[in-house]
Amino acid sequence: MGIHDGHRDKMRRRFLETGLAGFADHEALELLLFYAIPRRDTNALAHQLLNRYGSLEAVLAAPVEDLQKMEGVGQSAALLLRLVPMLAEKSRVRENVPAILNSTEKAGEFLLRRFDGKKYELIYELCLDRKGKLLLCKLLTEGDVAGAELNIRKLVENALLANASAVILSHNHPSGVALPSGEDFATTDRVRTALAGVGIELVDHIIVADGDFVSMRDSGYFG
């Protein structure tokens, strides 16, 4: 038995008996890292990650490339840290998909849940049928605090595969306000043109920030 095996066994038994109830954030992170770093003490690394990012939520939201810059965090550990919240998000999106997003309020409330607590820029695509039924909610891009790059060709492919009649584009401003920038206007124009070329309408571009959202359609930009 290795030097850390007894401690790890105790942590696992504790989790099996009580779940994460009573686990401090560093302990929960330490336990998760067991499965990517089999032969090192992960307690110190868990503390270092929390000190660097400030919270457990921020650690789990950090990009893989950024996590790997930290000594002791290899690719396997970085991938595991990102995979866990993304799997939870994938499950949550499926469970909470509403039948109809036929108003700005319904679409905005749905999107607020997707961006809640996110510290990095994300871009989502909502594919709808003619009645506003949600066919697909797709996370297109996960960027960093500086922004995220949109692949318009992939966006169009998603809409075609979903047999969508309409698309809502959405992204967040993690460190700003929910007002469109000049780049947001330019991106909206490019997406509208690309979708129109295959007979699909871009019905809105919704920007989220700090628990609020702004609809570019309601703001008059779509005419």
Side-chain angles (χ1 to χ4, degrees), residues 20 28-29 31-33 35 56 60-61 76-92:
L20 287 177
L29 189 55
L31 178 62
L32 178 60
L33 288 168
Y35 299 96
L56 180 59
L60 297 176
S76 294
L79 288 173
L80 181 63
L81 290 170
R82 287 302 299 122
L83 179 61
V84 168
M86 291 178 77
L87 283 173
E89 175 71 9
K90 189 177 182 68
S91 173
R92 185 165 67 94

Side-chain angles (χ1 to χ4, degrees), residues 4-13 30-31 33-42:
H4 303 300
D5 290 349
H7 172 66
R8 291 188 174 207
D9 286 343
K10 289 179 182 177
M11 292 279 282
R12 291 188 186 102
R13 286 198 299 270
E30 175 189 1
L31 178 62
L33 288 168
F34 286 173
Y35 299 96
I37 306 175
R39 303 193 182 281
R40 273 192 57 196
D41 178 8
T42 58

Side-chain angles (χ1 to χ4, degrees), residues 14 82 86 143 158 182 188 222:
R14 181 180 163 195
R82 287 302 299 122
M86 291 178 77
N158 291 335
T188 301
F222 281 61

Side-chain angles (χ1 to χ4, degrees), residues 157-206:
E157 288 176 357
N158 291 335
L160 289 171
L161 288 172
N163 197 28
S165 298
V167 165
I168 296 174
L169 180 66
S170 183
H171 76 285
N172 60 329
H173 289 172
S175 58
V177 294
L179 294 174
S181 65
E183 185 177 351
D184 293 337
F185 286 115
T187 297
T188 301
D189 289 339
R190 291 197 299 271
V191 171
R192 287 179 74 182
T193 299
L195 287 171
V198 294
I200 300 173
E201 181 184 6
L202 179 67
V203 295
D204 207 345
H205 185 171
I206 294 176

